[in-house]
Amino acid sequence: MVMDVMAAAARIEAAGGRVIHMEVGQPAAAAPATAIAAARAALSARLGYTETLGIASLRTRIARHYGETYGVDVDPARIAVTTGSSAGFILAFLALFEPGDRVAVALPGYPPYRHILRALGCEPVAIETTQATRWAITPDMLLAAHRRAPLKGVLVASPANPTGTMMTGTALRALIDAAQGEGISFISDEIYHGLDYAFAAETAAKISDDLVVINSFSKYFCMTGWRIGWMVLPPSLIRAIERLQGNLAISVPALSQIAAEAAFDGRAEMETVKHGYEDNRRILLDGLPKAGFETFLPVDGAFYLYADVSRFCDDSFEFAKRMLEETHVAVTPGVDFDPQHGMHFIRFCFAGSAAEMHEAVERIAAWLRR
Ligand SMILES: Cc1ncc(COP(=O)(O)O)c(C=O)c1O
């Protein structure tokens, strides 16, 4: 559905209109200057295949990040560098599951989880969440689904897309304990770590070694187009992931790995970008209720706000289309994240500029008044 919104936005722009893009979930900023400089310098050298699980110095640097950020010791041997977190999902699902296995994911949630699982012959088991649990799967929900028919895995994201909500460390631990108590493999998508506003995000790697953490340079480090991410693996899966990646991809692009390692030196620059998101978040949290959107949770992390539009319509896709046509503000209809209840929600991405956020709020308020 969001592709249709993007195509409609492109038509408006081709006709000379100025669209405020709040539909695409990616940072407006570029990669850290340190990453770009390292990539430039590397271009004149030979770029060959690298070690299958990633250049050793990058794996060591990522492992060090766990000590620096969360105070947890991670052996560099447990780090696998991947082509974005997207490749991490494919590798994890292939290593952990067999065709027919049932894997729980939250609704609303990032659609490719379900689509990749289905493409691999697994059965995604959608667990409907609500604002009452801050859009998170609880141990009770997980165990109820497991009782209906055994689950082999569960995947959660915190901060989450499309809701921007986070699980506390206690809630995450309780869910991991519940899953592990039943032999359900746990996958933690931590791609929005670093972008937390309400409280510090906890890594699942601190709670247990026996689960898969998936992360990426795409969001905090603003490197979506570089296609680079990583996994923290349980020791028992390292060899399986190495063999899968060796066969599926040989290795991850060398240039992106070199840039990614240098990205860690650009954290000051990325913190400035994050402060921009914090300002944008404040503008939307203040402005959207005044404009007429009253029901949404106050965004713990990431750069998304998931607003209830049931006051205005029964079909968020039609609503997003009309809003785009009449205000030139593009958002994503909730149906992309939850085919049923998503009809009542739209997602705003606030990774743009503060001026755009102010203007979007003004345009929407004037439209809703009309
Ligand atoms: C929750 C979540 N996980 C994973 C991804 C995939 O990101 P990438 O493959 O760029 O790391 C996205 C992208 O938007 C996302 O929102």
Side-chain angles (χ1 to χ4, degrees):
M1 296 286 190
V2 73
M3 293 303 175
D4 290 348
V5 173
M6 286 164 72
R11 282 196 295 277
I12 292 170
E13 285 172 331
R18 196 171 64 79
V19 173
I20 299 178
H21 288 278
M22 301 179 77
E23 79 282 32
V24 187
Q26 66 174 339
T34 50
I36 295 169
R40 269 213 185 95
L43 272 176
S44 48
R46 175 180 168 274
L47 292 167
Y49 296 131
T50 73
E51 298 92 314
T52 300
L53 289 181
I55 296 172
S57 57
L58 172 59
R59 293 171 74 199
T60 302
R61 184 63 192 89
I62 292 170
R64 202 174 105 208
H65 164 73
Y66 282 84
E68 289 167 353
T69 308
Y70 309 101
V72 57
D73 249 2
V74 171
D75 181 350
R78 290 177 57 210
I79 305 293
V81 178
T82 58
T83 315
S85 68
S86 300
F89 300 125
I90 299 170
L91 292 166
F93 297 165
L94 282 169
L96 288 169
F97 308 130
E98 296 300 328
D101 282 356
R102 286 162 43 85
V103 181
V105 292
L107 281 188
Y110 180 59
Y113 302 148
R114 288 177 271 133
H115 301 159
I116 298 170
L117 282 166
R118 218 170 265 130
L120 296 177
C122 300
E123 186 189 336
V125 177
I127 298 190
E128 279 288 349
T129 62
T130 66
Q131 298 190 57
T133 62
R134 299 191 74 74
W135 302 110
I137 297 176
T138 63
D140 285 348
M141 292 177 193
L142 182 75
L143 297 177
H146 186 56
R147 274 194 296 274
R148 279 193 291 278
L151 294 168
K152 279 288 167 58
V154 57
L155 189 165
V156 301
S158 169
N161 176 10
T163 59
T165 49
M166 279 166 58
M167 297 175 82
T168 61
T170 312
L172 185 63
R173 181 179 293 273
L175 190 62
I176 290 171
D177 286 350
Q180 293 185 337
E182 296 294 326
I184 300 169
S185 298
F186 196 92
I187 302 171
S188 181
D189 178 358
E190 301 185 355
I191 183 170
Y192 291 102
H193 273 221
L195 302 178
D196 41 17
Y197 317 112
F199 52 91
E202 187 63 279
T203 176
K206 195 167 181 176
I207 297 170
S208 170
D209 286 355
D210 193 19
L211 46 71
V212 175
V213 171
I214 294 183
N215 207 324
S216 175
F217 289 88
S218 287
K219 308 293 169 151
Y220 176 80
F221 288 106
C222 301
M223 294 178 70
T224 46
W226 298 75
R227 309 309 303 127
I228 182 146
W230 74 87
M231 308 164 86
V232 184
L233 298 169
S236 59
L237 276 192
I238 297 169
R239 187 71 182 132
I241 295 287
E242 184 176 19
R243 290 161 76 172
L244 282 165
Q245 176 139 283
N247 283 280
L248 292 174
I250 302 184
S251 66
V252 170
L255 191 63
S256 296
Q257 293 192 62
I258 292 163
E261 189 174 339
F264 284 104
D265 299 328
R267 291 188 73 106
E269 188 186 343
M270 294 298 104
E271 284 298 301
T272 306
V273 174
K274 176 183 173 174
H275 292 142
Y277 301 149
E278 282 176 310
D279 293 343
N280 293 349
R281 170 181 180 262
R282 186 50 45 216
I283 294 164
L284 295 189
L285 291 182
D286 288 346
L288 286 179
K290 290 181 198 145
F293 292 111
E294 280 155 6
T295 322
F296 54 82
L297 294 177
V299 188
D300 305 320
F303 36 53
Y304 303 117
L305 184 148
Y306 199 54
D308 187 333
V309 292
S310 55
R311 249 185 82 200
F312 306 108
C313 71
D314 280 333
D315 181 347
S316 57
F317 180 54
E318 279 307 313
F319 185 84
K321 255 177 43 189
R322 242 181 49 223
M323 189 163 113
L324 174 62
E325 277 158 20
E326 295 176 25
T327 69
H328 292 186
V329 176
V331 296
T332 308
V335 274
D336 272 1
F337 309 103
D338 179 345
Q340 201 187 340
H341 301 290
M343 295 304 262
H344 293 142
F345 290 86
I346 57 173
R347 186 195 73 176
F348 292 89
C349 171
F350 56 84
S353 69
E356 285 176 321
M357 299 304 118
H358 280 302
E359 197 177 339
V361 167
E362 276 165 26
R363 289 188 195 181
I364 292 167
W367 176 59
L368 289 177
R369 271 199 303 275
R370 281 203 300 277

